[in-house]
Amino acid sequence: MGIHRGHNARPLEWIAEKFIFAVSLSAIAMVFLIFLFVGREALPVFLGDTDSALVQTVIPSKDMEKTAPDRLARYLGMSVSELKTKDADTLRTMMEIREEAANEVPAAVRDDKDAKVDTTEWRYLLKPHQWTGYPKPEYIWQPVSSIHKYNLVPLVIGSLKTTLVGLAFAVPLSLAAALYVSQLAPPSWKEWIKPGIEFLSGIPSVVLGAFAFLVLAGFLQDIFGYRYRLNAFVAGIALGLTAVPLIFSIAEDALTSVPRSYVQAALALGASKWQTAWQVVLPAAAPGVFAAIVLGFGRCIGETMVVLIASGNASVVSWDIFDSTRSLTATIAAEMAEAVNGGHHYRVLFMLGTLLFAVTFTTNLLGDAVMQRLKKQR
Amino acid sequence: MSAAPLIETKNVELFYGSSRALKGIDITIKEKLVTAFIGPSGCGKSTFLRCFNRMNDLIDNVRITGQCLIGGEDIYAKDVDVIELRKRVGMVFQRSNPFPKSIYDNIAYGLRLHGTKDKSEIDGIVESSLRGAALWDEVKDRLHSSALGLSGGQQQRLCIARAIAIRPEIILMDEPASALDPIATVKIEELILELKKEFTIVIVTHNMQQATRISDYTAFFYIGELIEYDLTTKIFTNPAKKQTEDYVTGRFG
């Protein structure tokens, strides 16, 4: 045989390699599957198959036999195959319940022009609408009122607002800390500061949220004198605290891996330590530092607990950071348990999840593209 | 060879923690000449070289005693500004280390650092430095492309150009050609002979032929001690010490 032994020569290595390959592949598969399953729940919203109108055309139960199965299935909010598993009596009872429910809607609401509106249509999800009783068209998220209002804009603004405050707080702090630890700090200090900051990431976000709620909110209110104790600013600062260890850790690695020879060259030219760190090391580490910021963004926009606790959860459209606000994530967390399984509220919440996923995915993709470009510039 | 002394050390000792790496070195290096430091690896020649621009300050646990005078001033005195010192004493490293910036910016960096802001002045110095480093003709059409795209020898000449751009008095070279091929090495050596008209050059080298080709004076170090220091011709033809003779004739190393 001699050299023609192929993978039989080192079977353990071969198995180990294949195993590691399978593990890495499964990670990719997992991401894909999560997206698939979340997306599947949200699919009816995207396809326009949901109908959240309060007053719907009622199919009388006596007409059950005459109705086509697919129409009946959609009317009862199930799939055709689910429909086939139910016997006629069950279906009739379900239809009777619908009839009764329709009759119980108070006349005043039934006559509301909005009662027949399917609020899961795109124009109601994205554009302002002048609901009955409002003086002008508005963006409103109010899923549990008699007319289910599902406008996404307040939540998107809420998420972006807290995230931007969080990044504005976390990025300068963590980059400064990373620069200090990697370039300027004496080694003995470095040994304390680095684990200290990274320890922050070990604090559960619910604890951090409680801290923001109990301590930070009042403390910041005393300083800035804003009106609402819980708001985007407080939530953003707390979010920033969750992002600091992540951004710091990655940026510090990137800065530390800049070759010592660059530092020596700059110092030998007569640059101060600070000038070297700022003008030579930071630009050389730009791709890694940028990656740190992108991941920090993902962390901030995906964080749930902190915003749920500290933001005040008011779904208002406002760019004022001192107004209470509500994020996409907090909305999902707060409302998912209340939403009827398979109902329009449930579908819309999953759509929010899909949206979040798409946003972080796109950011990472764009971040990667920018990183490649930064790397090429050298 | 009756040039004025520029660097003078008196009983310089350097400790890494408790181990003594340099053992009481006295040397006088003269202006506008090339002085070579030779000796086996670990003999302290590079460490000694780095005393002249205080690059050893960057290493923890290093302690230096004795006196090190440049132009008559003690560079280890308390009130010395290391930045001013390094402006006067430039350095070229063993491995070429251009910044990951454009060729132009590599040279302009040091100028801007020391306060030159005028664009046309910078342009002029960039050109004269590149000419001084015999690199101008090779790079004049791509000044704004990355320095990392140059060959190893070109990168090293760029580093020399970067060092001379800020007009130091002394240029320290730590085995500047040891990572280069013979042709690039020849270019660097020719450059050094050219540069000594304007600068005082102290060069550490492992290559004894190189020392004979380019240096006026040679210092032989062995385990932290300066064994012999004299005219290069004397060191290589008629050394006073047995150890020196053994080393330069290749009997040990």
Side-chain angles (χ1 to χ4, degrees):
Chain A
M1 286 292 276
I3 58 171
H4 301 282
R5 291 198 299 166
H7 66 252
N8 295 324
R10 291 174 191 81
L12 279 179
E13 282 180 21
W14 185 82
I15 291 169
E17 191 196 312
K18 296 293 165 199
F19 177 72
I20 295 167
F21 174 68
V23 169
S24 51
L25 209 61
S26 68
I28 297 172
M30 200 64 83
V31 173
F32 182 70
L33 283 178
I34 290 173
F35 186 69
L36 204 68
F37 277 80
V38 172
R40 199 185 64 168
E41 296 301 314
L43 203 59
V45 180
F46 290 107
L47 297 178
D49 277 350
T50 47
D51 188 353
S52 63
L54 178 66
V55 176
Q56 303 197 352
T57 4
V58 176
I59 305 176
S61 51
K62 59 180 172 3
D63 292 349
M64 194 178 86
E65 279 76 19
K66 281 185 270 177
T67 316
D70 61 326
R71 176 130 190 265
L72 194 61
R74 189 190 295 184
Y75 176 63
L76 292 174
M78 53 179 79
S79 67
V80 180
S81 51
E82 272 177 303
L83 189 78
K84 284 178 185 151
T85 62
K86 307 273 194 298
D87 60 46
D89 280 343
T90 315
L91 291 175
R92 183 160 293 118
T93 315
M94 288 176 81
M95 294 184 75
E96 279 162 10
I97 291 171
R98 298 249 151 180
E99 264 177 286
E100 270 170 45
N103 289 331
E104 272 168 19
V105 175
V109 180
R110 198 181 319 160
D111 296 337
D112 189 334
K113 70 173 169 56
D114 298 331
K116 292 191 183 64
V117 165
D118 171 10
T119 52
T120 57
E121 278 176 38
W122 286 113
R123 57 185 152 143
Y124 299 106
L125 291 176
L126 300 177
K127 288 182 179 166
H129 178 69
Q130 187 164 2
W131 302 97
T132 312
Y134 286 88
K136 58 178 172 47
E138 294 212 44
Y139 302 97
I140 295 174
W141 172 269
Q142 226 169 58
V144 285
S145 63
S146 58
I147 312 283
H148 314 282
K149 304 181 188 85
Y150 290 128
N151 200 287
L152 308 180
V153 173
L155 308 183
V156 172
I157 289 180
S159 270
L160 288 181
K161 212 160 66 166
T162 46
T163 302
L164 291 182
V165 173
L167 285 181
F169 174 71
V171 168
L173 268 188
S174 27
L175 291 192
L179 211 54
Y180 179 72
V181 167
S182 71
Q183 303 299 320
L184 308 169
S188 51
W189 282 56
K190 183 175 173 166
E191 278 166 32
W192 284 98
I193 298 174
K194 194 169 145 71
I197 295 177
E198 285 170 347
F199 187 72
L200 253 184
S201 67
I203 300 176
S205 59
V206 66
V207 175
L208 208 67
F211 169 75
F213 176 79
L214 295 171
V215 184
L216 210 55
F219 176 71
L220 292 174
Q221 195 175 29
D222 288 345
I223 297 176
F224 294 94
Y226 45 70
R227 189 166 161 212
Y228 305 104
R229 209 177 79 91
L230 296 180
N231 55 40
F233 182 67
V234 175
I237 300 289
L239 263 188
L241 287 178
T242 67
V244 161
L246 180 77
I247 301 177
F248 166 81
S249 183
I250 297 171
E252 202 265 340
D253 279 350
L255 291 167
T256 305
S257 63
V258 169
R260 278 301 286 169
S261 63
Y262 294 168
V263 177
Q264 290 193 336
L267 291 174
L269 276 177
S272 66
K273 267 180 135 185
W274 171 251
Q275 285 170 322
T276 306
W278 185 250
Q279 297 166 346
V280 175
V281 179
L282 191 63
V289 169
F290 185 76
I293 296 172
V294 169
L295 287 173
F297 174 83
R299 177 84 172 86
C300 280
I301 206 162
E303 171 58 44
T304 309
M305 218 52 200
V306 166
V307 246
L308 183 63
I309 299 174
S311 69
N313 283 323
S315 57
V316 290
V317 177
S318 148
W319 282 106
D320 185 344
I321 55 168
F322 294 123
D323 275 342
S324 292
T325 193
R326 169 174 235 191
S327 74
L328 292 164
T329 51
T331 305
I332 298 176
E335 296 176 8
M336 190 56 98
E338 310 284 326
V340 179
N341 197 327
H344 39 82
H345 188 193
Y346 172 93
R347 301 283 180 214
V348 172
L349 289 180
F350 267 100
M351 198 194 79
L352 297 185
T354 319
L355 193 69
L356 266 178
F357 197 104
V359 168
T360 39
F361 186 76
T362 327
T363 332
N364 283 356
L365 216 62
L366 285 177
D368 205 55
V370 174
M371 234 145 59
Q372 294 304 327
R373 175 164 288 202
L374 284 175
K375 275 185 193 162
K376 262 189 213 149
Q377 273 176 5
R378 314 193 173 180
Chain B
M1 301 272 174
S2 59
L6 185 58
I7 305 175
E8 224 181 329
T9 70
K10 286 172 193 157
N11 197 26
V12 164
E13 306 223 320
L14 182 143
F15 300 85
Y16 289 113
S18 58
S19 81
R20 195 162 65 139
L22 296 176
K23 300 168 187 168
I25 295 176
D26 298 290
I27 201 169
T28 303
I29 292 170
K30 291 178 181 169
E31 201 176 38
K32 296 202 175 142
L33 293 177
V34 178
T35 305
F37 288 178
I38 61 169
S41 298
C43 67
K45 57 194 189 301
S46 281
T47 304
F48 187 54
L49 187 80
R50 281 157 188 263
C51 289
F52 301 152
N53 65 346
R54 293 187 57 172
M55 284 301 270
N56 289 323
D57 291 12
L58 304 177
I59 307 164
D60 289 314
N61 275 328
V62 162
R63 193 162 52 84
I64 297 166
T65 61
Q67 258 196 327
C68 186
L69 308 173
I70 290 183
E73 290 176 80
D74 182 358
I75 61 167
Y76 283 90
K78 281 218 166 60
D79 60 344
V80 165
D81 181 2
V82 181
I83 288 164
E84 279 304 307
L85 170 71
R86 289 182 187 150
K87 207 171 133 186
R88 287 174 60 189
V89 186
M91 184 157 193
V92 176
F93 295 83
Q94 179 174 9
R95 294 200 157 270
S96 57
N97 53 359
F99 300 122
K101 302 174 190 272
S102 71
I103 294 168
Y104 181 93
D105 284 334
N106 258 282
I107 295 169
Y109 180 72
L111 299 171
R112 294 191 187 120
L113 208 55
H114 298 297
T116 312
K117 291 206 173 67
D118 182 46
K119 174 88 171 59
S120 59
E121 193 184 344
I122 294 180
D123 285 349
I125 299 177
V126 166
E127 179 175 343
S128 63
S129 309
L130 285 170
R131 282 189 192 282
L135 191 59
W136 174 254
D137 291 333
E138 292 162 60
V139 300
K140 63 180 178 211
D141 300 322
R142 47 171 173 151
L143 285 178
H144 294 282
S145 54
S146 171
L148 301 187
L150 298 174
S151 74
Q154 287 173 325
Q155 286 191 11
Q156 193 60 297
R157 277 180 282 147
L158 177 63
C159 291
I160 293 173
R162 183 174 66 185
I164 62 178
I166 55 173
R167 309 302 302 169
E169 296 163 46
I170 302 164
I171 302 174
L172 309 176
M173 296 187 172
D174 190 356
E175 300 184 44
S178 67
L180 302 179
D181 65 67
I183 294 165
T185 303
V186 169
K187 283 193 178 164
I188 299 280
E189 288 180 7
E190 287 170 350
L191 182 56
I192 290 170
L193 291 175
E194 197 58 38
L195 289 175
K196 85 173 195 186
K197 290 174 189 160
E198 290 177 76
F199 305 95
T200 305
I201 294 170
V202 186
I203 178 170
V204 165
T205 179
H206 264 296
N207 181 331
M208 281 179 278
Q209 284 76 34
Q210 186 169 67
T212 57
R213 283 192 297 262
I214 60 173
S215 70
D216 303 297
Y217 279 85
T218 296
F220 170 61
F221 289 82
Y222 186 63
I223 326 183
E225 277 178 89
L226 176 61
I227 304 296
E228 192 169 351
Y229 174 53
D230 213 325
L231 285 167
T232 300
T233 43
K234 176 129 193 311
I235 291 275
F236 283 95
T237 53
N238 187 20
K241 300 260 174 70
K242 178 82 167 52
Q243 263 174 316
T244 314
E245 190 184 349
D246 286 350
Y247 185 73
V248 299
T249 53
R251 232 166 284 166
F252 90 104

